[in-house]
């Protein structure tokens, strides 16, 4: 249990469970892209940095890695619903197979926006992988092709995912619990 001034982090998914799931997701993805000459793996910054680095190490495929960054929640826990691109891809994706790697699908606005943008660039195939999914929070209809874990409506941190930029370095995923809630 991590103790901050006004909240604690209660472990939800252990590092071991994450590693096992990442390995099995990588196997599924490798099968999906069997025959692809060189896959472009696209991480959504910043939350997916740890996940993408573990995922590509387990992927037995020839890959390129690229990143795109969207505007975030700022320091709040609420989705802004308006998604802007802060950093675009470096490479071209037209006619290529791409794998989009996201940390969490929450309201779905971010993924829907990124999906539409990348689709407009005409990749030959787009496959979306999300580590976490909070299906009960969805406001727009969008789905990842593969999800690591479905989780309840809780604000989580760790394994790349932050709350006000903190806790990204935790090796596990935990739920943020405000002290007022638990006292
Ligand atoms: P959406 O647009 O509401 O689906 O939000 C997607 C983005 O919000 C994710 O990529 C995360 O960066 C962030 N986010 C959503 N839920 C959480 C959470 O529980 N903890 C930290 N960040 C979150
Ligand atoms: Mg994100």
């Amino acid at each position: 249990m991590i103790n901050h001034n006004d909240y604690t982090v209660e472990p939800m998914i252990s590092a071991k469970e994450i590693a096992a799931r990442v390995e099995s997701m990588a196997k599924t993805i490798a099968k999906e892209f069997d025959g692809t000459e060189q896959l472009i793996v696209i991480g959504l910054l910043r939350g997916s940095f740890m996940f993408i680095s573990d995922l590509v190490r387990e992927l037995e495929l020839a890959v390129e890695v690229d990143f795109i960054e969207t505007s975030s929640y700022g320091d709040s826990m609420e989705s802004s619903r308006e998604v802007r691109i802060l950093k675009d891809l470096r490479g071209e994706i037209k006619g290529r197979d791409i794998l989009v790697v996201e940390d969490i699908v929450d309201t779905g606005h971010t993924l829907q926006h990124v999906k539409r943008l990348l689709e407009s660039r005409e990749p030959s195939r787009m496959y979306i992988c999300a580590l976490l999914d909070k299906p009960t929070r969805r406001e727009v209809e969008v789905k990842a092709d593969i999800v690591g874990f479905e989780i309840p409506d809780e604000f989580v941190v760790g394994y790349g995912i932050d709350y006000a930029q903190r806790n990204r370095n935790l090796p596990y995923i935990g739920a943020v619990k405000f002290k007022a809630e638990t006292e």
Side-chain angles (χ1 to χ4, degrees):
M1 179 97 94
I2 300 258
N3 226 323
H4 290 288
N5 278 340
D6 54 346
Y7 67 94
T8 56
V9 178
E10 191 176 277
M12 181 189 273
I13 308 170
S14 72
K16 234 177 146 174
E17 287 171 299
I18 297 169
R21 185 68 188 121
V22 169
E23 195 186 324
S24 79
M25 289 170 97
K27 287 208 174 91
T28 306
I29 293 164
K31 270 194 204 126
E32 284 287 333
F33 288 98
D34 182 31
T36 295
E37 204 185 330
Q38 194 155 287
L39 178 68
I40 307 177
V41 183
I42 298 172
L44 262 76
L45 291 173
R46 284 173 264 177
S48 72
F49 81 93
M50 207 173 277
F51 178 37
I52 193 174
S53 69
D54 282 344
L55 187 71
V56 294
R57 275 182 282 194
E58 295 290 341
L59 262 186
E60 291 183 20
L61 287 176
V63 301
E64 289 173 41
V65 177
D66 204 342
F67 294 97
I68 190 165
E69 183 173 9
T70 58
S71 53
S72 73
Y73 285 16
D75 284 352
S76 110
M77 286 183 162
E78 265 306 298
S79 169
S80 57
R81 294 182 179 82
E82 203 186 280
V83 184
R84 285 173 306 123
I85 302 297
L86 300 178
K87 181 215 164 293
D88 206 340
L89 298 175
R90 291 290 296 271
E92 302 279 331
I93 58 169
K94 192 179 166 85
R96 302 283 304 275
D97 286 358
I98 64 172
L99 173 72
V100 178
V101 180
E102 172 61 313
D103 55 355
I104 311 185
V105 189
D106 186 37
T107 63
H109 290 281
T110 306
L111 187 57
Q112 187 187 56
H113 186 91
V114 168
K115 194 176 167 187
R116 284 183 180 160
L117 175 75
L118 298 180
E119 256 164 14
S120 74
R121 296 180 186 173
E122 304 173 340
S124 57
R125 181 172 180 208
M126 170 159 56
Y127 193 84
I128 299 166
C129 164
L131 180 67
L132 304 174
D133 187 5
K134 295 195 250 184
T136 60
R137 296 260 308 162
R138 206 71 90 252
E139 292 176 7
V140 290
E141 215 175 299
V142 64
K143 254 186 103 134
D145 297 294
I146 187 168
V147 167
F149 303 91
E150 275 195 7
I151 60 167
D153 180 8
E154 299 238 33
F155 199 84
V156 294
V157 292
Y159 197 64
I161 301 163
D162 74 304
Y163 172 40
Q165 297 308 324
R166 292 179 68 174
N167 302 296
R168 289 191 198 274
N169 57 325
L170 295 179
Y172 58 89
I173 289 162
V176 170
K177 301 280 179 190
F178 285 95
K179 285 179 181 168
E181 280 176 32
T182 51
E183 266 161 20

